[in-house]
């Protein structure tokens, strides 16, 4: 299953080999990795390098390290949530420049809006309109910026669910559950600005209700382009 590592890479090579074995199914959920002594001999690495590799794999949530008798490194189930952790952390840390994030979102979410318009049924449209009602109530009742942003996120994530594409769903969840720091810095809290954003959402949902994919895409891109202006 494994081979000796290149001495210039050491623990990174160990991580890559075990990671690949987990992702391709050679190692399955719940399976225990060989004992530390056996892994050291197989990879021909020091105890320190091996333990650093296992620590990285645990941070990636690919294995659990269980202590005590019968313990060891146990393979975890690889879920979409785990795979999206990196994107979630990247957005939350604000390591991506705003313009890069906008460019990414305009491409991805523009296409999501287009597909949602093509695939939405009456129930989907009703759900979107109900969320718009929550957004409008947050503005009318002066519930504040945070309540409006939560409703806005629900519109975006619901559009992704309507596409039926689970990759889009997880990407949207990773973005919209972690983007608040960008909003706090780059989105004005002025009531008139939020009203403009709300009208954008109405335009997007109306295009989806009409089944007009190109209009939905255009309206989404206009909406996202407001951030940071």
């Amino acid at each position: 299953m494994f081979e000796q590592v290149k001495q210039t890479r050491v623990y990174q090579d160990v991580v890559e080999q075990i990671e690949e074995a987990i992702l391709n199914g050679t190692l399955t959920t719940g399976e225990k990795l060989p004992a530390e002594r056996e892994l050291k001999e197989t990879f021909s690495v020091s105890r320190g390098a091996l333990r650093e590799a296992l620590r990285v794999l645990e941070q990636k949530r690919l294995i659990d390290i269980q202590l005590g008798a019968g313990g060891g490194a146990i393979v975890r189930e690889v879920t979409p949530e785990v795979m999206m952790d990196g994107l979630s952390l990247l957005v939350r840390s604000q390591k991506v420049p705003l313009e890069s994030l906008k460019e990414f979102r305009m491409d991805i979410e523009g296409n999501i809006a287009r597909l949602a318009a093509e695939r939405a049924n009456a129930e989907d449209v009703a759900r979107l309109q109900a969320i718009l009602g929550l957004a409008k109530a947050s503005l009318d009742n002066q519930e504040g910026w945070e309540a409006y942003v939560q409703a806005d996120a629900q519109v975006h994530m619901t559009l992704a669910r309507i596409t039926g594409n689970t990759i889009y769903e997880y990407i949207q969840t990773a973005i919209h559950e972690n983007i608040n720091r960008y909003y706090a810095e780059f989105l004005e809290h002025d009531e008139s600005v939020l009203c403009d954003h709300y009208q954008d959402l109405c335009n997007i949902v109306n295009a989806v209700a009409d089944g007009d994919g190109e209009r939905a895409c255009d309206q989404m891109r206009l909406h996202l382009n407001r951030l940071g202006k």
Side-chain angles (χ1 to χ4, degrees), residues 40-223:
K40 281 175 52 187
E41 293 175 356
T42 300
F43 289 119
S44 189
V45 296
S46 67
R47 175 182 292 180
L50 176 62
R51 289 186 173 177
E52 177 65 12
L54 295 177
R55 183 187 67 80
V56 171
L57 289 164
E58 188 175 35
Q59 287 181 335
K60 290 186 173 188
R61 295 167 63 187
L62 293 174
I63 64 171
D64 277 328
I65 305 295
Q66 299 180 2
L67 304 177
I74 311 297
V75 176
R76 294 186 59 168
E77 180 182 7
V78 179
T79 64
E81 290 87 348
V82 170
M83 304 303 287
M84 285 293 106
D85 275 354
L87 178 58
S88 297
L89 291 172
L90 189 62
V91 174
R92 192 185 312 167
S93 68
Q94 287 188 279
K95 297 297 185 184
V96 179
L98 175 64
E99 287 305 314
S100 296
L101 180 62
K102 282 174 62 174
E103 184 176 68
F104 175 78
R105 290 187 65 198
M106 288 171 72
D107 285 343
I108 294 294
E109 298 197 43
N111 197 50
I112 287 172
R114 177 188 291 109
L115 291 175
E118 295 170 357
R119 298 172 182 178
N121 57 34
E123 185 178 343
D124 294 327
V125 173
R127 173 58 180 158
L128 288 168
Q129 290 172 338
I131 300 170
L132 284 181
L134 295 176
K136 183 66 161 58
S138 71
L139 298 178
D140 290 345
N141 300 331
Q142 297 184 329
E143 294 175 7
W145 176 82
E146 188 171 336
Y148 171 77
V149 167
Q150 288 176 356
D152 173 88
Q154 287 301 313
V155 170
H156 289 273
M157 291 190 287
T158 299
L159 289 169
R161 284 194 290 272
I162 291 171
T163 70
N165 186 317
T166 55
I167 296 177
Y168 282 150
E169 289 186 51
Y170 285 113
I171 288 175
Q172 288 294 76
T173 299
I175 289 174
H176 287 281
E177 288 186 350
N178 297 281
I179 200 170
N180 280 0
R181 290 182 181 175
Y182 283 96
Y183 286 166
E185 183 174 352
F186 297 110
L187 179 61
E188 293 184 42
H189 297 200
D190 184 84
E191 182 180 351
S192 65
V193 173
L194 294 185
C195 287
D196 288 342
H197 276 256
Y198 169 72
Q199 186 58 53
D200 289 344
L201 295 182
C202 291
N203 293 340
I204 294 165
V205 172
N206 287 340
V208 171
D210 292 342
D212 191 333
E214 289 307 313
R215 193 169 100 236
C217 176
D218 290 343
Q219 291 297 325
M220 177 62 78
R221 291 173 64 88
L222 287 170
H223 175 59

